[in-house]
Amino acid sequence: MAVSGFEGFEKRLELHFSGDDPIIRMGGLRQLDFESIEEILNAVQCTVVSAVGNQYFDSYVLSESSLFVYSTKIIIKTCGTTQLLKSILPLIQFTSELGFIMSECRYTRGNFIFPKAQPYPHTNFNDEIFYLQEQLPIHLCYRKASVMPSKFISHSWHVFTACNEETNNDLFTIEVCMTELDRVLARKFFKHPNMASNEMTEVTGISEINPNALICDFVFDPCGYSMNGIDGDRYSTIHVTPEDGFSYASYECVGSIYDDPNDIINILKKVVQVFRPGTMSISTTSTSNEVWTRIAKAVEPLGMKCRSCTMDDFPSTASVVFQTFTSCRK
């Protein structure tokens, strides 16, 4: 393990808002102008490098990960030494000017590879919880923080949620964190001269994970890769730090509990085949037990052995299930 390097593990913030129907029909939070988005991202210390949108939401690839803006929901995911939680205050300011009130917050992250390099408030989970408690509106009164453990020091799952009422959502979110990537496959994420981002998307097999998705991708110099996928009102995102010693890749997607059960199984199989990680964690946020029980069925036939499974309930998101896997080659 390297003593220092780029921090691949992301911090993820999902914020929901409520507002009057006329505002939502006019685009809701998508009415935020680009200058406001830039100001929010300046507080986090990252920038937009590529963007695309459709009738449902706007997708931004960032210098450090991704931003998704729906009419009543914003998701920001950032890696490195970004200060993600510093986006909350400007987000509250700009959304209130549009007539919106925050109704739910969910913050998640894994274990940092280089925790001592993180600036405040990301110095440790207690600091993050304190910062969240101070910044969030007081009407988000149902709050819970938890660290979900595994058998590995390198993989645990940190969750903080806050909401003003119980919610019932048929969407699920899958967050995959992969370390110790196959070295041969990781080399594909090093940029060749004049290499276009869509070429890396094809060569690595990422384009096959969801062939229906419109992909907005970006290749970093000398290495590294990010992409956002748009498939109707669903997003997916991948971020790769391929350097040996601290290699890392993440995959995230959203689906419905009413989807064909084979859809998520086939997607996760393709994700494992693209990266062949030595160790992998999968967090499933869902109101249904049907989703997380499919995870092992998807990856164990590919040589990934389930090592731990932890479940916890949260007031705003129903249950979170955190599973870890290791490659049988380890």
Side-chain angles (χ1 to χ4, degrees):
M1 180 66 70
V3 176
S4 64
F6 186 80
E7 180 60 66
F9 273 93
E10 299 97 347
K11 318 161 183 86
R12 181 186 185 276
L13 186 65
E14 179 173 328
L15 301 173
H16 294 246
F17 297 84
S18 58
D20 294 333
D21 285 343
I23 304 172
I24 295 170
R25 284 197 297 270
M26 290 168 58
L29 301 173
R30 298 177 73 183
Q31 295 180 78
L32 282 170
D33 58 35
F34 190 67
E35 289 74 21
S36 299
I37 288 173
E38 282 187 311
E39 191 169 330
I40 293 163
L41 295 176
N42 283 341
V44 178
Q45 296 185 339
C46 61
T47 57
V48 173
V49 296
S50 187
V52 69
N54 64 7
Q55 68 188 92
Y56 300 104
F57 67 101
D58 297 314
S59 155
Y60 301 87
V61 177
L62 307 179
S63 54
E64 280 88 3
S65 302
S66 297
L67 165 67
F68 301 99
V69 182
Y70 287 79
S71 59
T72 61
K73 175 175 68 177
I74 289 178
I75 300 163
I76 312 182
K77 186 171 185 171
T78 63
C79 57
T81 54
T82 50
Q83 296 169 282
L84 175 60
L85 296 183
K86 290 193 174 181
S87 65
I88 292 174
L89 272 186
L91 271 168
I92 290 173
Q93 176 192 333
F94 290 130
T95 55
S96 65
E97 289 171 2
L98 292 175
F100 282 89
I101 297 172
M102 190 184 298
S103 59
E104 183 183 333
C105 167
R106 177 155 59 100
Y107 175 68
T108 56
R109 69 167 175 85
N111 269 17
F112 297 127
I113 300 173
F114 308 109
K116 292 181 180 178
Q118 291 296 319
Y120 184 82
H122 300 286
T123 33
N124 57 62
F125 193 45
N126 285 336
D127 286 344
E128 291 171 319
I129 294 169
F130 179 80
Y131 192 86
L132 282 159
Q133 300 275 30
E134 291 288 307
Q135 301 296 316
L136 291 174
I138 57 172
H139 67 265
L140 300 186
C141 54
Y142 299 103
R143 302 184 180 193
K144 180 175 178 177
S146 178
V147 180
M148 304 177 70
S150 75
K151 291 184 177 179
F152 307 102
I153 297 174
S154 59
H155 283 264
S156 62
W157 198 241
H158 303 70
V159 185
F160 175 91
T161 67
C163 63
N164 58 1
E165 61 183 1
E166 295 285 343
T167 57
N168 189 14
N169 198 334
D170 63 6
L171 293 179
F172 66 82
T173 304
I174 300 281
E175 297 173 71
V176 184
C177 300
M178 296 167 278
T179 54
E180 304 160 69
L181 309 182
D182 180 275
R183 291 184 179 185
V184 174
L185 297 176
R187 292 299 303 177
K188 294 182 179 181
F189 293 96
F190 281 76
K191 187 177 182 181
H192 302 306
N194 303 315
M195 187 182 208
S197 55
N198 63 342
E199 183 182 347
M200 186 174 285
T201 300
E202 292 289 334
V203 167
T204 56
I206 284 174
S207 59
E208 297 301 313
I209 293 175
N210 179 4
N212 298 323
L214 169 66
I215 291 179
C216 182
D217 43 25
F218 192 84
V219 174
F220 296 90
D221 196 5
C223 64
Y225 172 89
S226 288
M227 84 81 167
N228 291 340
I230 294 181
D231 184 5
D233 61 351
R234 314 277 183 87
Y235 73 87
S236 60
T237 185
I238 291 175
H239 303 283
V240 187
T241 302
E243 293 98 320
D244 193 32
F246 50 96
S247 64
Y248 172 85
S250 67
Y251 174 81
E252 178 181 332
C253 69
V254 65
S256 168
I257 60 175
Y258 303 114
D259 289 347
D260 182 336
N262 289 318
D263 288 352
I264 191 61
I265 290 174
N266 292 331
I267 283 172
L268 290 175
K269 282 182 175 179
K270 291 174 184 176
V271 170
V272 171
Q273 288 168 333
V274 166
F275 297 105
R276 295 282 179 186
T279 306
M280 173 174 69
S281 68
I282 303 179
S283 168
T284 307
T285 302
S286 176
T287 56
S288 168
N289 287 332
E290 294 294 317
V291 181
W292 72 265
T293 54
R294 301 173 196 151
I295 302 295
K297 294 176 186 176
V299 301
E300 287 197 327
L302 298 174
M304 301 300 295
K305 177 69 174 174
C306 186
R307 301 296 184 182
S308 64
C309 181
T310 311
M311 180 185 290
D312 204 347
D313 292 323
F314 293 85
S316 63
T317 54
S319 65
V320 176
V321 178
F322 179 63
Q323 297 168 278
T324 59
F325 300 82
T326 57
S327 169
C328 294
R329 62 182 162 84
K330 288 194 71 178

